[in-house]
Amino acid sequence: MRRIILNGLLLGSMTLFLCQCKENKGTPSNTSQVSIPFKKEGTLKVLKSQNDSIIAQLDIEIADNEYETQTGLMYRTELKENHGMLFIFPDVSFRSFYMKNTKIPLDIIYIDENMNVVSIQKNAQPFDETSLPSEAPAKYVLEVNAGLSDLWQLQKGDKITFTKQ
């Protein structure tokens, strides 16, 4: 009798397990279905160093905590030309970014504590996990669509200003 009960429990458990596996089979397990909308959290201006003329003005999302700085623009399928993400770090240090799970080619602009551009990584390619380091210590990092730094003729020494909403 005991053996019949154990066999029944085993059979029931296996059936339940197989049903759960079958249910999950049709559910996408990858991130291709993830849609993360842009959320404006501030405005940023890019300025020429020689005369402070405005090169560009962007609506920005701000990444200033560990989760946001780790995630960045990962999984996004688009980024409008007048949008960007500004990473704000608590300290000044050499920084390095990579493009894991990032679907959009980006320019990565490293900025020091005085708001001066210290280096630019142009045309970072989607999903590339190669390290893209700054050439000098940075407190801020701005990510924008690839090609914009060339379009703006951005150079080391150019500046940014931003305001949070």
Side-chain angles (χ1 to χ4, degrees), residues 11 25 108 146 150:
L11 182 60
K25 212 176 199 180
I108 302 170
D150 282 339

Side-chain angles (χ1 to χ4, degrees), residues 38-54:
F38 179 84
K39 180 182 172 194
K40 181 178 176 179
E41 297 175 310
T43 304
L44 181 140
K45 292 179 184 176
V46 182
L47 310 167
K48 273 314 230 187
S49 62
Q50 297 91 345
N51 56 16
D52 285 340
S53 64
I54 298 173

Side-chain angles (χ1 to χ4, degrees), residues 78-119:
E78 68 176 347
L79 183 65
K80 291 184 180 178
E81 190 170 315
N82 65 329
H83 288 174
M85 180 171 277
L86 181 67
F87 296 79
I88 303 173
F89 293 94
D91 60 345
V92 178
S93 184
F94 282 89
R95 305 279 174 213
S96 186
F97 278 46
Y98 63 94
M99 298 290 288
K100 181 177 182 178
N101 297 321
T102 306
K103 300 176 179 185
I104 308 163
L106 299 172
D107 286 348
I108 302 170
I109 303 162
Y110 296 98
I111 302 155
D112 68 15
E113 71 276 14
N114 298 315
M115 307 286 196
N116 297 313
V117 173
V118 294
S119 67

Side-chain angles (χ1 to χ4, degrees), residues 130-162:
T130 304
S131 178
L132 302 167
S134 62
E135 296 173 4
K139 180 170 178 68
Y140 306 95
V141 178
L142 176 63
E143 290 185 336
V144 296
N145 282 306
L148 286 180
S149 64
D150 282 339
L151 181 68
W152 299 336
Q153 297 179 348
L154 190 67
Q155 298 175 355
K156 291 179 190 176
D158 288 341
K159 304 173 184 183
I160 68 155
T161 63
F162 70 93

